[in-house]
Amino acid sequence: MNRIKNEWFGNVKNEVMSGLVVAIALIPEAIGFSLLAGLNPMVGLYASFCIAIVTAIAGGRPGMISGATGAMALVLAGLVKSHGIEYMLAASVLAGLLQIVFGMLKAGNLLRFIPSPVMTGFVNALGILIFKAQLEHFEGANITMYVLVVVGMATIYFFPKVNKAIPAPLVAIVTLTVLTVVTKMDVTRIGDMGNIAGTLPSFLIPQIAISMETLKVIFPVALSLSVVGLVESMLTAQLLDEKTDTKSNKNRECIGQGLANVVAGLFGGMAGCAMIGQSVINFKSGGRKRLSTLLSGVFLMTLIVALNKWVIQIPIAALVAVMIIVSIATFDWHSIKRMAKVPKTDTIVMLTTVIIVLLTDNLAYGVITGIMMSSIFFVYKISQTQVEKEETEEGIIYRCYGQLFFASTTHFMGKFDFDISNQTIGLDVTHLKFWDESAGDAFDKIVMKYSERHVKLKIEGLSEACEKLLEKTSVQYSIMPEFVD
């Protein structure tokens, strides 16, 4: 009971209010992402409702908001255009099933392999993308739009100095809505973005032929959806972990996201994932527990069904103001100052992650590229082995330091002088770690080169683990154990 209370109920008032703020902010984004994928606005709204409800119960990160997202919409757009909505629903269900499998295989544990520069790049790119997404609302807009956005941002910034009990974004949305309705301002409203029907989602099974041909069409899309969704969800969960100083269950989140996408696909919605912008809004508004996530979905459908005529009156300017403030808060401004202090490779990785995301409008691509670059830089750094040559009365001793594996063998062998003969050479490997078959192969080559010159090797300091590896990977070691001291 204590665990349930801790996960679901914190400050109930804050949970309710933040859930309402998020629900209002979800509407234009869900509609916009639906249109991006070439779908009816209600598809995104149904998805956000279903995913919010399921992840609130089955997810691994309390207080995280999930729903229809731009990254998933981009993946689905081609399938919708070529095969229609039924194939999209089937791909969403299959993506959810794949995510459940990934969760059962503990894919969430892979998050620890995401370096800090990649995480920083992810956050900064997200802040830029959130801001960039608002710019389209200013196209062809008159001065009224700009004034309303400025008023909304000022309200969000200054209202907490007066009253922290009520979420400032909610105050801004209500204030601008009332102002534009009372004065009958000619502004773009939520209702102008598409037909919003006040109906609940209903259960349906995708009407597609069950065959290998169908699977060939939807599986690549489903796999992309599952990977993109999990990458964004895991990084969002990690960000909230850091903001709240709490830990989340990443593997449970994988399974929860999968269940949510299965349900969404069976109730007429598109596949979705964690929404970092909305999650940050929830956090800033005081939402920390599962209750705020659940209520964001409940309020979303309540607003669409019961308060439809009022919701469609909310000016887009109010939501733009909220999202611009979120983008500013999301961007890690301290990372700009740190660029002069951290290693250049970390700066390159961070900037590359940001650039790839901005070029592709896909956070997952940037993160994957950043991880690959970090891996290459790391491998290069640890491949720089050191070999010190020391001449004694007994002969030459090579003292070796570092990690010997596939990327360091060439550099390592270049440190030895093979232009000698009829001597005994000491090879001190106390501080050298043998890692793979390439290390065993390099050892063989050194032994054979010196053997051809009638040079005897005396190996010192070989650890038990390295000895076991050489027994498995080195031919020379296994037939000439007398070389080991």
Side-chain angles (χ1 to χ4, degrees):
M1 289 300 296
N2 288 334
R3 182 179 65 83
I4 294 175
K5 182 179 179 180
N6 184 55
E7 288 188 355
W8 280 89
F9 305 103
N11 185 320
V12 176
K13 183 186 70 175
N14 284 348
E15 298 297 311
V16 173
M17 297 298 285
S18 60
L20 179 58
V21 172
V22 170
I24 295 173
L26 274 173
I27 296 172
E29 291 212 355
I31 294 173
F33 296 145
S34 297
L35 299 176
L36 179 62
L39 297 165
N40 183 283
M42 293 307 297
V43 174
L45 292 169
Y46 288 156
S48 295
F49 166 66
C50 294
I51 293 172
I53 298 297
V54 176
T55 54
I57 299 170
R61 171 67 255 180
M64 187 166 78
I65 305 300
S66 299
T69 65
M72 303 294 263
L74 289 171
V75 175
L76 284 169
L79 181 64
V80 173
K81 185 176 181 180
S82 61
H83 290 83
I85 188 172
E86 297 294 338
Y87 276 76
M88 180 280 296
L89 296 175
S92 297
V93 172
L94 181 57
L97 295 175
L98 290 174
Q99 289 177 327
I100 293 173
V101 173
F102 289 146
M104 296 176 69
L105 294 176
K106 309 297 183 183
N109 294 337
L110 297 176
L111 184 67
R112 67 178 183 271
F113 294 109
I114 299 179
S116 179
V118 176
M119 188 66 184
T120 302
F122 166 80
V123 170
N124 289 347
L126 184 67
I128 296 172
L129 281 181
I130 293 173
F131 180 81
K132 179 184 173 185
Q134 311 314 309
L135 298 181
E136 64 182 48
H137 297 296
F138 291 96
E139 295 179 4
N142 53 31
I143 190 65
T144 304
M145 174 70 175
Y146 292 88
V147 172
L148 290 176
V149 170
V150 171
V151 171
M153 292 176 63
T155 302
I156 296 171
Y157 181 79
F158 289 108
F159 186 79
K161 301 180 184 298
V162 179
N163 187 321
K164 294 183 179 181
I166 304 174
L170 180 60
V171 174
I173 292 170
V174 172
T175 300
L176 293 184
T177 301
V178 172
L179 177 63
T180 56
V181 170
V182 171
T183 60
K184 298 181 180 181
M185 287 186 185
D186 183 18
V187 295
T188 304
R189 305 178 188 276
I190 285 182
D192 299 326
M193 297 186 68
N195 180 34
I196 303 177
T199 57
L200 289 171
S202 57
F203 180 81
L204 56 89
I205 297 176
Q207 300 300 307
I208 60 171
I210 301 176
S211 65
M212 286 302 298
E213 291 301 319
T214 300
L215 187 61
K216 288 179 182 179
V217 172
I218 66 173
F219 183 79
V221 177
L223 182 60
S224 296
L225 288 171
S226 62
V227 173
V228 169
L230 289 184
V231 168
E232 291 205 30
S233 297
M234 295 303 99
L235 289 178
T236 304
Q238 182 65 26
L239 179 64
L240 290 179
D241 287 353
E242 295 174 1
K243 285 183 175 292
T244 59
D245 291 324
T246 58
K247 292 182 179 181
S248 57
N249 188 329
K250 306 300 189 301
N251 294 314
R252 178 178 173 181
E253 185 60 40
C254 290
I255 295 173
Q257 290 287 333
L259 289 172
N261 282 327
V262 170
V263 172
L266 294 176
F267 279 86
M270 59 188 281
C273 62
M275 308 176 74
I276 190 167
Q278 305 299 337
S279 297
V280 172
I281 289 177
N282 192 45
F283 173 78
K284 293 289 184 182
S285 301
R288 301 288 187 276
K289 307 298 181 180
R290 295 182 184 275
L291 181 61
S292 60
T293 305
L294 178 71
L295 290 178
S296 69
V298 173
F299 284 143
L300 174 63
M301 272 296 101
T302 301
L303 291 170
I304 296 301
V305 177
L307 303 175
N308 184 279
K309 67 178 182 179
W310 295 104
V311 170
I312 61 177
Q313 295 298 322
I314 296 175
I316 293 299
L319 301 171
V320 169
V322 172
M323 296 308 293
I324 289 177
I325 292 294
V326 168
S327 70
I328 295 172
T330 301
F331 194 92
D332 185 358
W333 297 98
H334 293 292
S335 65
I336 298 176
K337 296 180 180 179
R338 292 199 301 269
M339 288 172 62
K341 301 178 181 179
V342 300
K344 290 182 178 179
T345 52
D346 286 356
T347 299
I348 292 172
V349 169
M350 189 270 285
L351 291 176
T352 301
T353 302
V354 172
I355 291 171
I356 294 297
V357 171
L358 296 181
L359 290 176
T360 62
D361 283 332
N362 192 314
L363 290 163
Y365 291 163
V367 169
I368 292 171
T369 302
I371 292 173
M372 292 174 62
M373 290 186 64
S374 293
S375 300
I376 293 172
F377 286 140
F378 174 74
V379 168
Y380 176 77
K381 288 177 182 178
I382 67 170
S383 68
Q384 304 304 302
T385 54
Q386 294 182 353
V387 178
E388 296 177 357
K389 182 179 180 182
E390 181 181 340
E391 296 187 8
T392 66
E393 295 180 356
E394 298 179 355
I396 298 174
I397 297 178
Y398 286 102
R399 303 191 187 281
C400 308
Y401 304 85
Q403 315 296 321
L404 191 58
F405 62 111
F406 67 90
S408 61
T409 54
T410 302
H411 180 266
F412 177 72
M413 292 184 63
K415 298 289 187 178
F416 291 88
D417 179 12
F418 295 106
D419 191 21
I420 57 175
S421 60
N422 300 308
Q423 293 188 33
T424 297
I425 291 179
L427 194 62
D428 185 356
V429 295
T430 304
H431 302 288
L432 182 70
K433 176 70 174 178
F434 293 81
W435 282 106
D436 57 9
E437 186 177 359
S438 296
D441 183 60
F443 177 84
D444 282 349
K445 289 178 180 178
I446 292 173
V447 172
M448 292 175 66
K449 284 181 178 290
Y450 280 127
S451 179
E452 292 170 356
R453 294 162 174 77
H454 306 287
V455 175
K456 183 178 181 181
L457 281 178
K458 183 179 180 182
I459 303 173
E460 302 175 353
L462 188 65
S463 68
E464 183 179 351
C466 292
E467 184 177 359
K468 288 182 178 179
L469 185 135
L470 288 178
E471 288 175 352
K472 296 177 181 179
T473 61
S474 170
V475 176
Q476 297 299 321
Y477 180 83
S478 60
I479 65 176
M480 292 185 288
E482 66 273 15
F483 285 163
V484 182
D485 185 13

